Structures are given as C-alpha cells and as structure tokens.
Amino acid sequence: MRRLTSILPAAAASAVLAAGALLAAANTGHAATTAALGSNWYGSAPYYYTLDSSAPDLGQVMSATGQKAFELAFILAPSGGGCTPTWDGTDPVSSDTQVASVINEVRAGGGDVSVSAGGYNGTKLGQECGTPAATAAAYQQVISAYGLHAIDFDLEEPEIENSTAISNELGAAQILQQNNPGLYVSVTIPSTTTGANWFGQQLLNNAKSLGFTPDNFSLMPFDGGFSGASSQITALQDFNSQLVSTFGWSSATAYAHEGISSMNGRTDSGEYFYQSDFQTVLNFAESNGMSRYTFWSVNRDRECNPPDNNGNTSSECSSVTQNAYDFTKYTAQFAGATPPTGSPTPTPTPTPTPTPTGTCAAAWNSSTAYTSGQKVSYNGDNWTANQWNEDEVPGGSSGAWNNDGACS
C-alpha cells in the first residue's frame, strides 16, 4: 500500500516522535515486545474487553482456537476530560497495571495484540485533543508503551457525527501510519443494511481528501435491522460500491481494503447471528479477498450459564447454544489457521419470543441520566438500571442494565 506524506509539519512530526521515544524509555518494562505477525492475523483479531473482571483467559482461548491476535478495547480520553490515553476512560496507559500482563501472556504464546481506540461509549481522544497532531501524540503513547504493530480506530456515535473529532482521528491515524512504518491501521464504522450511513460516507470523503488509506475500512453490520448472514453480505456488497465510488478503486481493490466486524449471538437490538451465519460470511470474505474478519467479542464467546431462554443480551455470553470459543475459531480460520478439534458445534436453536410479563415502563432515552433502580423499556423489554449511567443502551456491553423480561 502506498504511504502518503504526513499532514504534520516537520517540526510537529518530530515532536510526536520525540514524545513517543520518551514514553517508550519510561515504560521499557511495561509490556514485552514481539515481532509483528502477518497482516492476516491483525485482520482476524477478535475484540476483547480488557478491563472486564470476568474476561476469559487469552492463553486458554489461544490453546482452544489457534487464534494468535486479539483486538484490545478500548482506548479513550479520561472520563474527567483531557488529551491523555486511558483504558476505558479510567486506567491511564502511563500507569497501567492491568493490561500489560494480558499482552505479555499473548506474546509469550506466540501471538500479538492490536489496540482499539473509541467504541460506542465514553469520550474519544478525537473529541478532547485539539488537533490531529495532538491526537496522534496521545495515541503514540499507547503504541510506544506496548510496542504495538497494529491499531484500530473504532469510530462510532456520537463521535462519527462530529466532523472535527473525525478529522482529528483520521489525521492522527495518517500521522501514526507515517511515523510507525509497517503499522497495521484499521478504521471501523457503523453500518446500515445498505452499507455506510451518511456520516460514514462523510468519513470516507474525509479520508480521501487527506490522501489517507488505512489497511481497511470495516463495517459493523449489526444493531441496524439485520437478519442473518444474507443481510450482512448485502451491506458488504453495497459498501464495496461506496469504496469504489469514493476512491476510484476497482471492486477487487476495494474488497482488499474492506472488512467486517460482526457480533456473535444475540445483538443489542435483538438480532441473532449463529455459527452458520459466521461461516457463510467467512466464505464470502475469503472468496472476495477481504482483508478483515472480526467480531465483538471474545468475552461473549461462550454459552450463558445457565443457558438463556428469555431473549436477553449479555456482555458475558452469547445467548445462543454454543461450545466455548466457537466464534473465535472462525477468525482463526480467516487468518489461515486450522483450529483444534473439539466437541461438535451445537445446533443453533432460535430463542423463543418471551411472553410479556408486565406493563412497559417509560421508554429509554439516550440523553437522560439514570440512577440505580430506575426502570425503562427498550425493544419490548423492561430494564432496571444497576448503576448510574447515561447513553448506555439497555442490553449493551456496559452491563449497566438488568433485563426484567418482556412487557406490553
């Protein structure tokens, strides 16, 4: 892929590199470094919510699946504001005591990690840092601290609707690409059933105006009216047309810069994606030469215990019938590995529609702050907040809501 001239002035670029070098020197014991894996591994890396206290052990996941790379989520601005990188807004990278050990375990097993910036919740660095150069300097701290070979920009709402923030993120990605030769860069955006939405198209236009080409642009075809693999494939085909139109690429070149990030099992909006759906989309991705195939998340890649029969979405399990790490095995196959054999994959059985158990509470509102114990309705269910939250969708990965069952 052609590397383009950085948009930074020379002095600013030097400052970014110097900041990275200083941080690297200060964090030499932070996390063991390793040689870069092939890009197919970074393109297959499934997301892993690192600060989840119930997260599975990645060494065990590697042994069970053959997967070597993982996408650690998420780097954000501090929850109190500022242009310094933190894990999930709470754990500063500069004083991290939690994530380095996870990275070391993966690397000791012959694997590596990418780090994802952004996500659905929290404040993003592009929103807090005033310029692309400042945003890049913040991300460079993460790259230098952990000796990264790959980084993902997960640009979702509300950030994707903020043109200044997106300019900061894309400009930073271009600077990092220029200043870290060989760095694998992915850009992940929401999807409609017909490809990128209006804001996603504006993001593509912005990237074109910068002359910035990441390793891939990846769609997240879930939580938007999708139904199984066929709807996801339609979105990927339509997105391919958008890439062709925007960048003037051939369809084959566009697929080589295109990826998918799915969600295993039951999604936040009650869609279902089973093992058979993952296999169908995997076949499509491989046959069209796509460069990324991943999903959210390894934390959810296990059957609920006890099994879920009420149509709930969990951040800790998939809410479908499965063996542990069934979905991660598909990403390992995309990377070119042959996953270890294990128990046969259970036959997926659709979750029955729950019988309404009460009157629906007031509808959830993304702009309302809720306190523990408050009740809302969302997608046909009642929910009770288990902590203070704002703009935390019921059933989302934050786990801020308990599902009380169907309502009418």
Side-chain angles (χ1 to χ4, degrees), residues 285-361:
E286 291 181 327
S287 64
N288 285 280
M290 289 174 60
S291 58
R292 192 164 180 238
Y293 174 94
T294 182
F295 73 99
W296 176 270
S297 67
V298 177
N299 307 62
R300 305 180 69 251
D301 195 5
R302 48 196 174 186
E303 188 169 326
C304 299
N305 185 18
D308 176 77
N309 294 309
N310 297 310
N312 299 322
T313 300
S314 171
S315 60
E316 302 297 333
C317 54
S318 67
S319 300
V320 299
T321 303
Q322 68 161 103
N323 295 311
Y325 316 130
D326 271 351
F327 293 94
T328 303
K329 288 183 178 180
Y330 293 109
T331 65
Q333 290 178 55
F334 181 77
T338 301
T341 57
S343 302
T345 298
T347 301
T349 54
T351 301
T353 301
T355 302
T357 57
T359 302
C360 287

Side-chain angles (χ1 to χ4, degrees), residues 26-394:
N27 289 281
T28 51
H30 218 189
T33 57
T34 186
L37 299 175
S39 61
N40 58 316
W41 282 111
Y42 298 116
S44 75
Y47 286 85
Y48 178 79
Y49 185 42
T50 314
L51 298 190
D52 176 8
S53 60
S54 300
D57 179 82
L58 287 185
Q60 295 178 7
V61 177
M62 294 172 75
S63 297
T65 65
Q67 179 59 257
K68 289 185 178 182
F70 300 90
E71 192 78 67
L72 305 189
F74 286 106
I75 291 293
L76 296 170
S79 56
C83 183
T84 56
T86 70
W87 288 103
D88 209 30
T90 60
D91 183 23
V93 168
S94 60
S95 56
D96 163 46
T97 59
Q98 303 178 71
V99 180
S101 61
V102 175
I103 297 174
N104 288 340
E105 179 182 19
V106 172
R107 288 175 172 170
D112 198 14
V113 302
S114 176
V115 164
S116 184
Y120 182 75
N121 293 309
T123 302
K124 319 308 188 298
L125 285 168
Q127 295 170 277
E128 287 288 314
C129 302
T131 64
T135 309
Y139 286 129
Q140 184 66 53
Q141 293 177 44
V142 186
I143 293 170
S144 299
Y146 301 112
L148 297 180
H149 305 293
I151 188 168
D152 172 54
F153 288 81
D154 189 335
L155 306 178
E156 303 184 40
E157 285 85 358
E159 184 185 25
I160 196 171
E161 299 179 13
N162 182 328
S163 60
T164 299
I166 292 301
S167 292
N168 287 340
E169 297 281 3
L170 294 180
Q174 185 179 42
I175 292 167
L176 296 173
Q177 186 187 65
Q178 176 69 25
N179 291 341
N180 299 271
L183 182 71
Y184 182 97
V185 180
S186 55
V187 175
T188 306
I189 62 175
S191 176
T192 71
T193 54
T194 56
N197 64 15
W198 187 88
F199 293 105
Q201 182 60 62
Q202 299 314 299
L203 182 149
L204 296 179
N205 295 342
N206 192 330
K208 180 183 179 182
S209 69
L210 290 173
F212 167 58
T213 306
D215 286 82
N216 60 72
F217 293 99
S218 296
L219 276 188
M220 294 184 284
F222 59 88
D223 283 352
F226 293 90
S227 179
S230 61
S231 63
Q232 294 183 312
I233 289 173
T234 296
L236 293 171
Q237 291 170 327
D238 291 340
F239 187 50
N240 181 266
S241 297
Q242 288 177 287
L243 294 174
V244 168
S245 176
T246 302
F247 297 100
W249 294 334
S250 67
S251 179
T253 299
Y255 275 125
H257 289 87
E258 182 176 351
I260 179 174
S261 177
S262 191
M263 186 171 180
N264 59 312
R266 190 183 196 274
T267 72
D268 306 302
S269 60
E271 305 152 342
Y272 282 90
F273 297 103
Y274 299 102
Q275 293 93 325
S276 57
D277 296 308
F278 269 56
Q279 181 66 67
T280 298
V281 175
L282 173 62
N283 294 343
F284 176 84
E286 291 181 327
S287 64
N288 285 280
M290 289 174 60
S291 58
R292 192 164 180 238
Y293 174 94
T294 182
F295 73 99
W296 176 270
S297 67
V298 177
N299 307 62
R300 305 180 69 251
D301 195 5
R302 48 196 174 186
E303 188 169 326
C304 299
N305 185 18
D308 176 77
N309 294 309
N310 297 310
N312 299 322
T313 300
S314 171
S315 60
E316 302 297 333
C317 54
S318 67
S319 300
V320 299
T321 303
Q322 68 161 103
N323 295 311
Y325 316 130
D326 271 351
F327 293 94
T328 303
K329 288 183 178 180
Y330 293 109
T331 65
Q333 290 178 55
F334 181 77
T338 301
T341 57
S343 302
T345 298
T347 301
T349 54
T351 301
T353 301
T355 302
T357 57
T359 302
C360 287
W364 172 75
N365 189 317
S366 62
S367 62
T368 299
Y370 295 96
T371 58
S372 179
Q374 285 190 277
K375 296 181 180 295
V376 301
S377 61
Y378 182 74
N379 277 349
D381 287 358
N382 276 330
W383 302 78
T384 300
N386 57 43
Q387 57 185 275
W388 184 95
N389 71 85
E390 183 176 6
D391 197 24
E392 303 280 359
V393 64

